[in-house]
Amino acid sequence: MSGAATSTSPFAAPGFRGLMAYRLLTILSYQIVAVTVGWHVYELTRDPWALGLIGLAEVLPYFCVAPFAGYLVDHLPRRKLGAVACAGLAATAGVLTAIAAGGIPVHAGGIAQAWPIYAAIVLTGAVRAFLGPVYNALFARVLSRALFTRGASIGSVVFQLGLVLGPALGGLIVGWAGKTAAYAVSLLLALGASVAIARLHVTEPPLLLQRAPVFASIREGLRFVFGHQILLAALALDMFAVLFGGAVALLPAFIKEILHYGPEGLGILRAAPALGAVVVGLWLARHPPERNAGRILLFAVAGFGLCIIGFGLSTHFWLSALLLLGSGLCDGVSVVLRSTILQLATPDEMRGRVSAINGIFIGSSNELGAFYAGTMARLLGLVPAVVFGGCMTLGVVATTARLAPRLRRLDLRELH
């Protein structure tokens, strides 16, 4: 594994630093678009369900592309695929810039009037299917296995830092300079990410001369995941928790209807969970969890559900922000442990496919959660929808603890 760090710091590997730059820039680009699109669509429609449709517009192409993205990552140069995916993010931001600037007409009214925005988000879903598998596959090439837990913690910090800075920047730019400027900044960040991944210092595994048929290869990845109780339980736990606890998708409606703030407040609330995850990620990077990892994971996801319930009941802006911060602290623990389990349990030749399956479980759950939250908000109202989702998350934790005893008893040293 060329380029793996030999010291106790992952940053001793030049490839790791470049990979973190790629990760941060892609997340910043994506998050600025996410917060701006949410504001843009709600401004046009005044309909919470329209916010849920943003998630649906992204997740459908993601589902269709992700299995094939994993196959391609396992069989083609990973850096080139990452650079092409980043160029796709830039193209999405370019289309949205044109829409916001008036080059592509969009008028206030019902959901149908916002169709060009949804069409642009479809492209985001397709290219985003490559970003996670590329990152996870290259992660294992720049670090030794002994540094996976520390590296996963740092990767989580970088990821969550992007989730803090991206929404905050998006909200501030929309508030001060408008939607066009926010989309344009996202475009520049996506181009920067494409350069970072293309120039990454890392050796890639030799390309396979004999490639398995596409669908047979995808089935092999699925059999591996569904036959590994600990990995499957960790992915399912995170997926359903995010699916039911998707309060973030409703933040534009909460800001306008309940908390009465502007786009700056939206940026603060979207950044709060990520800020909590950054704090816990920094702690875990210095104190990597290994003992009782399964129980810690279950308690963290339960804490996430309780924070979501509290947020749904809050009517004060800063209390809401504090509860979202708490949800981020809990979610940060879950992300680090799930990422470590994924890296330790997966053979190198299957990282692309397993990571793509992980993306279907985890990445798509954010968008499905957004659609679920928007639908439930229309059926039940904003507050009941969020509270019900938090209660469902607690039910998921209890069910997982009962059905996956190996996860409940997990010690990470078993996977080394």
Side-chain angles (χ1 to χ4, degrees), residues 96-159:
L96 290 169
T97 302
I99 292 173
I104 301 176
V106 175
H107 305 289
I111 293 172
Q113 278 67 40
W115 74 263
I117 300 176
Y118 292 116
I121 296 302
V122 168
L123 178 59
T124 297
V127 301
R128 197 170 65 84
F130 289 89
L131 299 179
V134 166
Y135 168 80
N136 284 310
L138 291 175
F139 179 96
R141 301 295 300 175
V142 301
L143 293 180
S144 64
R145 289 178 66 86
L147 292 176
F148 277 2
T149 304
R150 290 183 183 274
S153 297
I154 295 170
S156 175
V157 169
V158 171
F159 179 80

Side-chain angles (χ1 to χ4, degrees), residues 252-322:
F254 264 86
I255 283 286
K256 285 184 174 290
E257 310 300 335
I258 295 175
L259 302 175
H260 307 297
Y261 262 69
E264 298 86 353
L266 175 60
I268 292 171
L269 290 188
R270 284 197 66 117
L275 178 60
V278 166
V279 171
V280 78
L282 289 171
W283 169 264
L284 294 177
R286 295 182 61 87
H287 307 278
E290 293 195 345
R291 295 179 182 274
N292 299 316
R295 291 185 181 182
I296 293 171
L297 177 59
L298 291 167
F299 279 118
V301 178
F304 172 82
L306 290 173
C307 288
I308 293 301
I309 292 171
F311 169 79
L313 297 174
S314 170
T315 57
H316 300 284
F317 178 82
W318 290 110
L319 176 58
S320 297
L322 183 63

Side-chain angles (χ1 to χ4, degrees), residues 376-400:
M376 294 301 288
R378 168 170 278 196
L379 294 174
L380 304 177
L382 283 175
V383 172
V386 172
V387 173
F388 178 75
C391 292
M392 290 294 291
T393 299
L394 296 179
V396 167
V397 173
T399 302
T400 304

Side-chain angles (χ1 to χ4, degrees), residues 32 45 50 152 228 279 345 375:
I32 289 175
T45 66
H228 197 297
V279 171
T375 302

